[in-house]
Amino acid sequence: MVSWWQALTRAAGRYPWPANVLLYAGFFSGGDALQQVLRGGPADWQHTRHVATVAVAFHANLNYVWLSLLERALPGRAPRTILAKVLCDQALGGPVYVSTFYAGMSILEGKDDIFLDMRQKFWNTYKSGLMYWPFVQLTNFSLIPIHWRTAYTGLCGFLWATFLCFSQQEGDGTFKSAFTFRRIKGTNEVEKPSEK
């Protein structure tokens, strides 16, 4: 009997694009579900479907193509090559991912001004990403096999999506707003039982 891991590995080897896209979208959608749990509200499956749609329709596919192009343009794992890939990814890929997330979510939610969230939160979110993604991609380009790179990005994107979905709904694109929200929420939860 073939284990699920062997089946997944075989599928990724035979069909790397769809396997990576589906894994990426699953992790990204899971990040949205996690931020909903952390916020303590009821599950909003429509929002999670919107996140999955943006992930499948754009982010995961772009990521797969982008990482393949980077590998063709800058092949190998020499330290200078890895640093060049990380710089290219952050300078070119990062802004595209942040912009398309905010615009894509606004389109799917039917907002009148689809660029409002992007205008208000882009720079904060991009700067927050610069504290996370260079380290993720450094590991990705140096240790992860090429056919698993998009899936690995999606795995790391689970945490990023948790933050990004919070920022899209309530935050301002900074880590500080997410941590402040958690601290205030935790304080309120402690105080509520004593008020009764």
Side-chain angles (χ1 to χ4, degrees):
M1 186 165 172
V2 178
S3 73
W4 66 272
W5 179 252
Q6 290 171 329
L8 182 62
T9 304
R10 196 170 342 152
R14 185 177 289 166
Y15 309 106
W17 193 329
N20 275 274
V21 166
L22 291 175
L23 285 168
Y24 183 105
F27 288 131
F28 217 77
S29 302
D32 177 61
L34 176 62
Q35 70 86 24
Q36 290 181 35
V37 168
L38 292 174
R39 284 185 23 231
D44 183 355
W45 296 113
Q46 183 174 1
H47 191 268
T48 304
R49 278 195 307 273
H50 291 164
V51 170
T53 301
V54 169
V56 169
F58 192 79
H59 277 202
N61 284 295
L62 175 67
N63 189 275
Y64 187 85
V65 172
W66 172 245
L67 294 179
S68 298
L69 288 173
L70 271 180
E71 191 59 37
R72 275 191 228 131
L74 301 164
R77 295 181 187 213
R80 293 178 85 187
T81 304
I82 291 169
L83 288 176
K85 288 179 195 177
V86 170
L87 287 173
C88 285
D89 184 63
Q90 296 310 297
L92 302 173
V96 172
Y97 289 113
V98 171
S99 300
T100 56
F101 177 79
Y102 285 128
M105 289 300 292
S106 293
I107 290 168
L108 292 172
E109 291 175 351
K111 293 183 178 177
D112 292 332
D113 184 354
I114 62 170
F115 299 111
L116 180 63
D117 279 345
M118 188 171 56
R119 283 194 306 270
Q120 292 177 342
K121 302 173 185 180
F122 172 83
W123 284 112
N124 287 339
T125 306
Y126 179 65
K127 289 186 284 187
S128 296
L130 289 175
M131 293 185 274
Y132 180 67
W133 283 109
F135 303 104
V136 168
Q137 294 297 49
L138 191 64
T139 304
N140 199 10
F141 296 133
S142 60
L143 301 175
I144 306 300
I146 295 167
H147 64 278
W148 282 112
R149 286 187 181 164
T150 295
Y152 175 77
T153 305
L155 176 63
C156 296
F158 174 79
L159 291 176
W160 179 249
T162 303
F163 163 73
L164 198 57
C165 292
F166 169 78
S167 292
Q168 187 256 335
Q169 291 190 329
E170 294 185 16
D172 63 0
T174 63
F175 286 136
K176 182 179 178 182
S177 70
F179 291 128
T180 302
F181 173 79
R182 286 300 304 150
R183 191 173 66 239
I184 291 168
K185 185 178 183 302
T187 303
N188 290 341
E189 286 173 352
V190 170
E191 291 173 0
K192 281 181 184 175
S194 64
E195 291 173 0
K196 288 183 177 180

